[in-house]
Amino acid sequence: DKAYIASHNIRLGTGISGWVAETGQSVRVGDVRQHPHYHPIRDNIRSELCVPLLLGDHSIGVVNVETPKPNAYTEADQRVLETIAAQIAVVLQSRDIDLRTDP
């Protein structure tokens, strides 16, 4: 993965996870090969569910799950992962962990 990323000059804000981190919006994709932000790092991935970790309106990261099965994730799966991500963000905030960076 590192070699692919280095050889393709992939930066933060690119790829599905990077787009989610940048926009703060969740993405559920049935076939990543059809998504405009997808970078083919692994050939066997089809479905992806990616949600932001938010502190207020500031994205500090993402929680991402992938599988070779097409159309694997449901709207209910997305709500569950968004709930988990919100809980992770609350824990990070309560621990005074500052993951924000200055622009």
Side-chain angles (χ1 to χ4, degrees), residues 28-90:
R28 180 170 34 100
V29 183
D31 186 348
V32 294
R33 298 171 300 175
Q34 305 303 314
H35 195 278
H37 293 94
Y38 175 64
H39 287 293
I41 294 173
R42 293 182 200 93
D43 292 335
N44 66 333
I45 300 302
R46 289 298 170 264
S47 294
E48 184 168 347
L49 176 56
C50 191
V51 302
L53 286 170
L54 299 172
L55 288 179
D57 62 354
H58 186 77
S59 179
I60 60 168
V62 299
V63 178
N64 184 59
V65 292
E66 302 170 333
T67 182
K69 182 180 174 186
N71 302 305
Y73 303 110
T74 65
E75 196 173 313
D77 295 328
Q78 182 174 332
R79 286 192 304 270
V80 168
L81 196 58
E82 288 170 341
T83 300
I84 292 167
Q87 292 172 344
I88 292 169
V90 167

Side-chain angles (χ1 to χ4, degrees), residues 55 58 60 92-102:
L55 288 179
H58 186 77
I60 60 168
L92 293 174
Q93 186 174 30
S94 71
R95 301 272 186 191
D96 289 329
I97 297 172
D98 189 3
L99 300 176
R100 293 171 288 181
T101 57
D102 292 330

